[in-house]
Amino acid sequence: MNSYTLKLGHSITGLLLTIGLFSGLVIESQHTVLATPIVSENPTDSASPTSLEGTSWILVNWRTENNSNLLETTEPITANFVEGQVKGNASCNRYIASYKTEGNQLQITPGITTRKACMGDLMDRESAYLAALEGVQQYEMNDQGLLISYTTEQESGVMTFTPQPIGQLETQTWVLVSLEEATISRVTLKETEITVNFTEDQVKGFSSCNQYMTNYTKEGNKLSINPLATTRKACPSEIMRQEFQYLTALENAQWYEISPQGQLKISYQAQRGSGVMTFAPQPIQR
């Protein structure tokens, strides 16, 4: 019988952080367009908008007066509104910012991004999206989904989002691919594996050296992990350090999403902001 002990969460240290401010991203445009406010067919919709808190969205349409659709990227753009923050994928990089609403008015404060480099078109689309977020003015939720209008110095437009599929955590075992905090991505050490498996109310797996397990709850995309119990096997120091970083991140999980590519992404509270763990389905053993 395995012996289990509680491993309480501690802040992960030793990670170098590089902050990418939205305001440092530049968009080139040859046109100046007028604002494109959201106009609801039902006047009561904008007067009493549904709360954004706890919702997750994927961008499906992006229109301005001079360009019928700016959404020309194969990488998804997502927005998840959790506990006063909006976070997600901006095409190439992850982003996180603060938001607040008043009626149908929406304000997003410039935040931080990871600093991964991608192909030119993706980076251009990402820069445009992050700039649009800074210029957000109002929102509406209706049968089309979530409509967000914005105005920047270069343009005005409306972005349309549809609800992001929550996906099933419990369908398979997941293998950790990377652990990111702000601007640095860490991958698992060679010849080690980190897994997570969700059942109806328990989460368990292998954390590099030891087995772990605990209970968890979820509500929509929100995810809460109870303090973890682990076996007490000893391994080399670098493996134990990796295990500690992973278990600390998992205990501080806040929300999850399953991307269109089938990857599980779990966002967690870190010492300096937030981080994201990316998992891939475990290959079927034949």
Side-chain angles (χ1 to χ4, degrees):
M1 172 143 340
N2 288 327
S3 171
Y4 286 88
T5 183
L6 291 180
K7 183 181 286 291
L8 299 179
H10 298 278
S11 299
I12 298 175
T13 59
L15 299 182
L16 300 177
L17 305 177
T18 306
I19 296 178
L21 295 179
F22 292 178
S23 56
L25 301 170
V26 180
I27 304 170
E28 296 182 359
S29 175
Q30 298 178 348
H31 305 284
T32 300
V33 299
L34 300 175
T36 311
I38 297 171
V39 179
S40 173
E41 295 179 359
N42 185 348
T44 62
D45 287 348
S46 60
S48 303
T50 303
S51 173
L52 286 173
E53 182 61 29
T55 62
S56 297
W57 307 89
I58 185 166
L59 184 62
V60 294
N61 193 280
W62 185 352
R63 297 184 180 277
T64 68
E65 291 183 353
N66 291 333
N67 192 321
S68 60
N69 193 346
L70 289 178
L71 188 61
E72 298 174 356
T73 176
T74 57
E75 295 299 319
I77 294 177
T78 60
N80 305 275
F81 295 86
V82 181
E83 298 179 350
Q85 294 182 325
V86 55
K87 58 185 76 175
N89 185 57
S91 281
C92 176
N93 288 281
R94 308 287 301 180
Y95 71 92
I96 179 172
S98 299
Y99 82 93
K100 61 181 180 180
T101 61
E102 183 175 350
N104 71 332
Q105 303 302 303
L106 174 62
Q107 180 181 352
I108 295 178
T109 303
I112 59 175
T113 73
T114 55
R115 296 290 296 273
K116 184 172 66 175
C118 294
M119 298 296 292
D121 290 347
L122 283 179
M123 297 305 295
D124 291 345
R125 189 65 57 236
E126 176 169 283
S127 297
Y129 174 69
L130 296 176
L133 286 184
E134 287 193 34
V136 164
Q137 295 180 327
Q138 58 181 344
Y139 77 100
E140 176 187 340
M141 297 172 68
N142 58 27
D143 292 341
Q144 298 180 53
L146 170 65
L147 282 68
I148 295 179
S149 67
Y150 69 93
T151 297
T152 67
E153 293 183 358
Q154 288 77 25
E155 65 184 19
S156 298
V158 175
M159 296 182 288
T160 302
F161 298 77
T162 58
Q164 189 173 188
I166 294 177
Q168 292 296 318
L169 284 175
E170 303 87 353
T171 57
Q172 58 199 315
T173 297
W174 304 90
V175 179
L176 183 68
V177 175
S178 65
L179 187 152
E180 301 177 54
E181 282 195 31
T183 61
I184 189 166
S185 177
R186 305 172 72 91
V187 297
T188 54
L189 297 171
K190 290 183 178 180
E191 300 182 0
T192 66
E193 185 177 62
I194 295 176
T195 64
V196 63
N197 181 272
F198 293 87
T199 61
E200 183 176 350
D201 60 356
Q202 283 193 331
V203 56
K204 56 187 175 181
F206 184 69
S207 51
S208 292
C209 179
N210 287 281
Q211 301 286 334
Y212 67 90
M213 65 180 297
T214 190
N215 295 323
Y216 77 98
T217 58
K218 64 177 182 175
E219 182 180 352
N221 282 81
K222 290 185 178 181
L223 181 64
S224 178
I225 307 288
N226 290 352
L228 294 160
T230 74
T231 54
R232 302 189 66 179
K233 180 181 174 183
C235 292
S237 59
E238 64 272 17
I239 294 179
M240 298 303 294
R241 183 164 51 250
Q242 173 177 270
E243 178 171 275
F244 173 75
Q245 292 170 343
Y246 168 71
L247 295 175
T248 300
L250 190 62
E251 282 190 342
N252 288 280
Q254 294 181 314
W255 62 273
Y256 79 96
E257 65 176 291
I258 297 178
S259 71
Q261 291 81 16
Q263 292 184 320
L264 168 64
K265 295 182 180 291
I266 297 179
S267 174
Y268 62 92
Q269 183 65 41
Q271 184 179 16
R272 303 181 185 179
S274 68
V276 176
M277 293 182 286
T278 300
F279 299 81
Q282 185 177 57
I284 298 175
Q285 301 295 328
R286 297 184 182 278

